[in-house]
Amino acid sequence: MVNIIWVCLTVIGILFAMVNGTMSEVNEAIFSGAKEAVTLCIGLISILVFWLGMMKIAEEAGLLNKLSNLFKPIITRLFPEIPHNHPAMGYILSNMMANMFGLGNAATPLGIKAMEEMKKINGGKSEASRSMITFLAINTSSITLIPTTVIAIRMNYNSASPTDIVGPTLIATICSSIGAILIDRFFYYRRSRKG
Amino acid sequence: MGIVTAISLWFIPVLIAVILLYGTYKQVPTYESFVEGGKEGIKIAVSIIPFLVGMLVAISVFRASGALEYFMGFLKPTLEAVGVPPEIAPLAIIRPISGTAALGMTSDLMAQHGPDSYIGRLAATLQGSTDTTFYVLTVYFGAVGIKKMGDALKVGLLADLVGIIAAIVVVTIVFGY
């Protein structure tokens, strides 16, 4: 699946450039795209190191377990495959919290850790498990309490009340998260019926 | 509103203090643990570089060649039929593919229509309520070495669609057209 999408994006782009006369833009895009990716990853190092360091302390102190105990009823229903008291629960929850508070930077390392733990549960296979897909669905629909970047942009353009979209964003985000969970369930049951 | 802003400002520092104090109380070797966990961070950051380079180059090429614009032309009537305003359609299409491009479009829409217009508010809500599905997919699955993504992309993109529709409905109800 990834392979096909990846090849299609690139090859269609190149074929398009031949017809469209945008070869020089494409040439530039190859290098700027690669550079952007590396810059992004380098930027991630500082945050990853800091947050994974902090979370290690939290994990060893038992804070992550406490957190997952608190929200256990919801999480066990969303992720029935994950055993109780598994560290994955704690990481999933901390990732969701970070997302809610608009801390996308802090959310990424926690999400990666959660994925790592879920892969362990799945026997280290290179195939996405049911819980991974659920987690991804929730993540891409991201429950946001405070959309900080958007508020900043609105302030830039002299909005009369930059924060008045907070309420609507919250409602929309809750709808999309519920939608994501339902869609995920639908695909799961379709898969399991197939065998 | 002040409370929400205050929470977001205080959240991280307070969280750090709580973790450090609790760790000390539980006699965790805090500094050593921090370093231990941090080492993992470097490994992860370096290991996702190839995944992101591959994906971002493909997306950049697709966008720069004009192919993205061309395909948007096809998708636009469909989106408009569902009720997506024509000004918003490109943003709705690009949001799951490229975070930076979407952010640029959102600012552009606000500059053109004003941040307090229907379009401006809708763009803001859309930007805030969905995420860059391709990025999340590449980074999370790339970092832990998942090759078969199953239904993940389909589920993610359909969830984005729900988010877009929800944003339009909510903004129309709350602020009026």
Side-chain angles (χ1 to χ4, degrees):
Chain A
M1 180 92 139
V2 214
N3 297 318
I4 297 167
I5 294 170
W6 190 59
V7 172
C8 278
L9 280 175
T10 317
V11 174
I12 292 174
I14 292 170
L15 290 175
F16 228 87
M18 291 175 184
V19 185
N20 228 359
T22 42
M23 255 328 163
S24 68
E25 280 91 337
V26 165
N27 262 313
E28 203 180 302
I30 294 169
F31 298 104
S32 66
K35 202 174 164 192
E36 194 192 328
V38 175
T39 318
L40 238 154
C41 289
I42 301 292
L44 271 178
I45 291 183
S46 55
I47 304 140
L48 275 165
V49 168
F50 184 74
W51 277 108
L52 289 185
M54 275 295 151
M55 291 323 284
K56 189 89 190 165
I57 302 173
E59 193 193 333
E60 284 181 7
L63 263 178
L64 278 184
N65 266 333
K66 279 210 162 145
L67 187 70
S68 53
N69 277 336
L70 208 63
F71 290 91
K72 214 179 225 165
I74 310 167
I75 295 294
T76 40
R77 247 158 237 224
L78 278 176
F79 299 94
E81 278 183 354
I82 299 176
H84 295 235
N85 291 327
H86 195 278
M89 291 278 195
Y91 284 117
I92 290 173
L93 270 168
S94 344
N95 167 273
M96 284 181 180
M97 299 268 180
N99 264 329
M100 276 186 202
F101 287 93
L103 315 169
N105 289 337
T108 309
L110 299 170
I112 292 172
K113 273 305 267 191
M115 279 287 177
E116 220 166 60
E117 294 295 335
M118 283 187 261
K119 195 185 178 190
K120 276 184 212 157
I121 295 172
N122 200 27
K125 279 183 255 171
S126 65
E127 206 173 316
S129 68
R130 178 191 176 184
S131 5
M132 286 180 184
I133 297 176
T134 308
F135 179 65
L136 217 90
I138 295 173
N139 237 291
T140 55
S141 62
S142 73
I143 312 156
T144 327
L145 289 181
I146 313 138
T148 35
T149 331
V150 174
I151 294 172
I153 299 176
R154 284 171 65 77
M155 282 162 101
N156 260 347
Y157 288 105
N158 303 318
S159 166
S161 136
T163 49
D164 68 1
I165 44 90
V166 170
T169 303
L170 188 60
I171 301 170
T173 203
I174 290 171
C175 289
S176 75
S177 296
I178 293 172
I181 293 164
L182 291 178
I183 294 164
D184 171 56
R185 282 290 130 106
F186 169 75
F187 275 102
Y188 171 70
Y189 288 121
R190 214 183 59 160
R191 272 201 307 273
S192 46
R193 231 180 293 143
K194 258 190 218 159
Chain B
M1 215 39 255
I3 299 168
V4 183
T5 324
I7 290 176
S8 55
L9 192 67
W10 280 57
F11 190 72
I12 295 184
V14 170
L15 184 70
I16 292 169
V18 169
I19 291 174
L20 290 182
L21 286 175
Y22 194 75
T24 312
Y25 166 68
K26 286 275 167 182
Q27 296 181 328
V28 172
T30 43
Y31 189 64
E32 275 104 333
S33 299
F34 174 82
V35 171
E36 202 55 45
K39 278 183 195 159
E40 258 177 81
I42 300 178
K43 244 188 277 164
I44 291 173
V46 173
S47 71
I48 52 179
I49 290 179
F51 293 95
L52 265 186
V53 169
M55 206 39 95
L56 280 188
V57 168
I59 290 170
S60 308
V61 167
F62 194 71
R63 199 172 66 201
S65 67
L68 183 64
E69 227 170 294
Y70 182 77
F71 283 99
M72 274 206 256
F74 278 115
L75 276 168
K76 239 173 144 178
T78 326
L79 280 176
E80 277 168 42
V82 198
V84 180
E87 296 92 335
I88 291 290
L91 176 65
I93 296 165
I94 213 152
R95 185 72 186 97
I97 303 171
S98 166
T100 39
L103 205 59
M105 261 185 211
T106 303
S107 331
D108 195 49
L109 283 171
M110 282 196 211
Q112 271 179 39
H113 299 270
D116 297 318
S117 64
Y118 174 72
I119 298 291
R121 280 182 169 134
L122 186 52
T125 309
L126 241 179
Q127 177 75 35
S129 63
T130 53
D131 211 329
T132 321
T133 303
F134 268 86
Y135 172 79
V136 176
L137 213 71
T138 316
V139 169
Y140 284 7
F141 280 177
V144 298
I146 297 295
K147 293 198 184 85
K148 286 188 182 159
M149 352 192 240
D151 291 325
L153 183 65
K154 264 182 275 174
V155 173
L157 289 178
L158 282 172
D160 285 336
L161 189 65
V162 175
I164 292 163
I165 294 168
I168 293 170
V169 172
V170 173
V171 171
T172 310
I173 292 172
V174 175
F175 300 111
Y177 188 77

